[in-house]
Amino acid sequence: MVIFGLILIVTSNPFKNWREQTIGYYLVNLSFFALLLVVFYSERFSLFLIPFYAVVAVQPFFMEKFKLKKFIPVRFSYLLMVGIIAFTFAKSYSFNSRNINSGPTELLTLRDWYEENVSTEEKGKILAARKAHVAYYLNMDFKLMPMADSYDEFITKLKESNVDYLYIGTIEAGLRREFQFLLDPKSSHSGLEVVVYFNDPPSVLYKVIRE
């Protein structure tokens, strides 16, 4: 359908009714932006809107109605645009440099502990968690934490999926509040055996007990 739509755009002479298509472009992108605001807005989910943001940002330099040449020399307006782009690039680079390593560093600690303390025979093949990066660090295949109405059903589904290990952290416990008690490794949890736990931030790696 996408290829068919692109063919229709090309064969319909998009430059013939440029103004109408420009309005349509604005409406579609604004609708996506409004949808994100209602559902869940975050910068990473709006990356596909960057071309739209760029179009809006350069309008004062190219659109006749809003051209800055009415107020400042043309050369200065272009220098201003280049300066803004350079400034934005520098700020973006600085921001990403500070935040690129701000992820869950406790997983690196878990990885090192797992490699040093779990024998080859005990290492599992499948790990259940909220996201796949935990399984990646522990060199296992990933299974999403199953949905269940009770703890017993939860354990049963883990076993049916042949899950060897279960990872529970603060985010998992926050999103699956019915299983928050699994963050307490000192309590007894039938069907699970504590492998290792950390206090800062709280997280537990469990082994699924098979009968």
Side-chain angles (χ1 to χ4, degrees), residues 144-156:
L144 187 65
M145 286 177 58
M147 300 297 296
D149 295 325
S150 66
Y151 176 75
D152 290 338
E153 183 184 358
F154 180 70
I155 296 298
T156 299

Side-chain angles (χ1 to χ4, degrees), residues 66-187:
F66 302 107
K67 272 188 177 180
L68 293 176
K69 68 179 182 180
K70 298 178 181 179
F71 311 101
I72 57 178
V74 175
R75 288 185 180 179
F76 182 78
S77 66
Y78 288 127
L79 286 175
L80 178 62
M81 182 175 67
V82 172
I84 292 174
I85 293 174
F87 174 77
T88 303
F89 175 81
K91 294 291 288 185
S92 298
Y93 183 86
S94 175
F95 175 82
N96 285 287
S97 297
R98 291 194 308 269
N99 289 276
I100 196 168
N101 291 323
S102 62
T105 55
E106 66 272 11
L107 294 183
L108 300 179
T109 305
L110 172 62
R111 178 199 61 189
D112 295 339
W113 188 95
Y114 183 83
E115 290 296 327
E116 294 176 5
N117 296 277
V118 179
S119 65
T120 303
E121 295 77 16
E122 290 294 320
K123 288 181 178 177
K125 296 181 178 180
I126 301 176
L127 179 140
R130 184 181 69 94
K131 285 191 174 182
H133 58 306
V134 187
Y136 170 80
Y137 282 119
L138 300 186
N139 195 27
M140 285 188 266
D141 292 330
F142 168 71
K143 284 283 187 180
L144 187 65
M145 286 177 58
M147 300 297 296
D149 295 325
S150 66
Y151 176 75
D152 290 338
E153 183 184 358
F154 180 70
I155 296 298
T156 299
K157 288 188 175 182
L158 288 175
K159 293 179 179 180
E160 289 176 349
S161 300
N162 296 316
V163 171
D164 299 303
Y165 287 92
L166 169 69
Y167 176 82
I168 295 289
T170 53
I171 297 179
E172 284 81 5
L175 294 175
R176 303 290 295 278
R177 296 186 178 182
E178 65 273 25
F179 299 127
Q180 279 185 343
F181 60 89
L182 290 176
L183 270 182
D184 181 8
K186 298 180 181 180
S187 299

Side-chain angles (χ1 to χ4, degrees), residues 185-203:
K186 298 180 181 180
S187 299
S188 177
H189 307 301
S190 61
L192 298 175
E193 176 185 346
V194 176
V195 178
V196 64
Y197 67 91
F198 302 96
N199 294 319
D200 186 24
S203 59

Side-chain angles (χ1 to χ4, degrees), residues 50-65:
I50 287 179
F52 172 64
Y53 295 154
V55 169
V56 175
V58 300
Q59 275 188 353
F61 299 96
F62 296 102
M63 288 190 68
E64 193 66 34
K65 184 177 179 181

